[in-house]
Amino acid sequence: MVALHQGLDFLRRKWDREEWHLFCLESTRAHPLRELLHQCPYSRHSFERPRGYAGDAELIDYVYAERATGVSRMGKAIYHYLYAQSGPASVRERRLILAREIDAVAERVKRPRILSVACGHLREAETALAVRERRIGELIAVDQDELSLAEVTRQHAGGLVRPVCDTVRSIVLGRTSFSGVDLAYSAGLYDYLNEATAKRLTRQLFGMLRSGGRLVVANFAPNTPDAGYMESFMDWWLVYRDEEQMKGVYSEIDPKQIASLSMTRDEVGNVIYLTLERR
Ligand SMILES: C[S@@+](CC[C@H](N)C(=O)[O-])C[C@H]1O[C@@H](n2cnc3c(N)ncnc32)[C@H](O)[C@@H]1O
């Protein structure tokens, strides 16, 4: 697995995009290794896309906690290896970073209004102390996937969390909007958006903030070493952005409205966090 993982990362960096794409679509699909690797439930789930799209919340749950029942020993071992890699570690760190953001806004503001876009299973809210202690006003959890929102509802009975089934498109077009938001964030979404959509979404989300409100957007950076395995054997393609490309993401916001701006990376340097505060 070490040789395969590193070798794929090496080829992905060495070849041009077209050559790499061709390799992923033709060579790896037909390769006998594929069947073996797909004994890993995480790899297979990604490749088969049971919900019809890449990167569903069930797939991300394989990254949050190891769970492999009814899986062969080989499958478990492959999954265990992948689970320990830096990409999945960054996703787990992302969950903690977002939970800290939720706790922090609850310290700054009494009963804050929080918006999570493309919330998936909203696992960060299960970690946030402010949610457990019911110190938030409302957490609006938007996702396109009814099944994911059903899990959110199961985990958060009691009315603090409001699941909203809606799409990025609807937000971008201004059909769905929220106001007076103290914290808006999105993780695991921008990694799938083209530049035009990412820009418009950022502008719309920023516009929903109240004065002093924060917008946090996470995006995987291009150097992530897991990308080779993900693209070739999981058919999981992200839009990776570096700091320069992240600048484009907020370029449609009037700079006079931005009180502060920061870009930071997580501990391993795989994920970039763009944080904007509204004046
Ligand atoms: C990779 S998961 C991330 C989930 C969660 N934010 C997390 O960090 O664990 C991506 C989520 O984005 C949602 N999503 C993708 N495209 C979307 C769209 N166009 N509109 C609304 N939700 C979308 C999916 O349904 C999925 O739940």
Side-chain angles (χ1 to χ4, degrees), residues 27-213:
S27 310
T28 63
R29 305 254 158 134
H31 200 284
L33 253 187
R34 187 175 74 77
E35 236 173 85
L36 185 80
L37 292 166
H38 284 185
Q39 288 183 31
C40 157
Y42 168 55
S43 303
R44 193 179 54 246
H45 186 102
S46 175
F47 190 82
E48 290 178 351
R49 301 185 182 186
R51 301 245 183 121
Y53 61 92
D56 63 58
E58 249 184 90
L59 178 69
I60 309 305
D61 274 356
Y62 279 113
V63 173
Y64 286 142
E66 254 181 297
R67 56 183 173 107
T69 42
V71 175
S72 68
R73 267 183 63 202
M74 177 64 81
K76 261 189 200 155
I78 295 166
Y79 174 35
H80 185 71
Y81 174 84
L82 295 172
Y83 180 87
Q85 296 312 300
S86 78
S90 288
V91 173
R92 291 190 288 277
E93 190 183 343
R94 192 175 73 187
R95 175 190 185 180
L96 289 178
I97 288 172
L98 294 177
R100 277 205 292 272
E101 284 287 343
I102 294 173
D103 286 338
V105 72
E107 292 293 322
R108 284 196 304 275
V109 181
K110 198 164 177 246
R111 307 192 79 68
R113 190 160 209 231
I114 302 171
L115 171 65
S116 171
V117 180
C119 64
H121 289 160
L122 201 73
R123 295 297 185 206
E124 65 280 2
E126 294 170 33
T127 312
L129 207 62
V131 175
R132 220 174 310 148
E133 293 175 350
R134 304 186 67 79
R135 283 187 283 110
I136 60 162
E138 184 178 42
L139 203 171
I140 305 161
V142 180
D143 203 282
Q144 65 178 359
D145 191 326
E146 295 269 17
L147 287 176
S148 295
L149 292 176
E151 170 66 6
V152 172
T153 306
R154 259 193 304 277
Q155 294 299 330
H156 301 278
L160 260 191
V161 175
R162 170 153 67 109
V164 175
C165 191
D166 222 324
T167 62
V168 166
R169 185 177 152 76
S170 174
I171 296 174
V172 161
L173 294 176
R175 290 188 198 134
T176 300
S177 189
F178 306 94
S179 59
V181 174
D182 298 292
L183 169 67
Y185 65 85
S186 193
L189 173 70
Y190 277 67
D191 315 81
Y192 301 85
L193 302 181
N194 64 35
E195 206 188 342
T197 308
K199 277 183 187 177
R200 272 179 238 141
L201 179 65
T202 309
R203 192 186 59 197
Q204 297 285 31
L205 295 179
F206 189 81
M208 295 178 199
L209 298 177
R210 73 166 89 237
S211 174

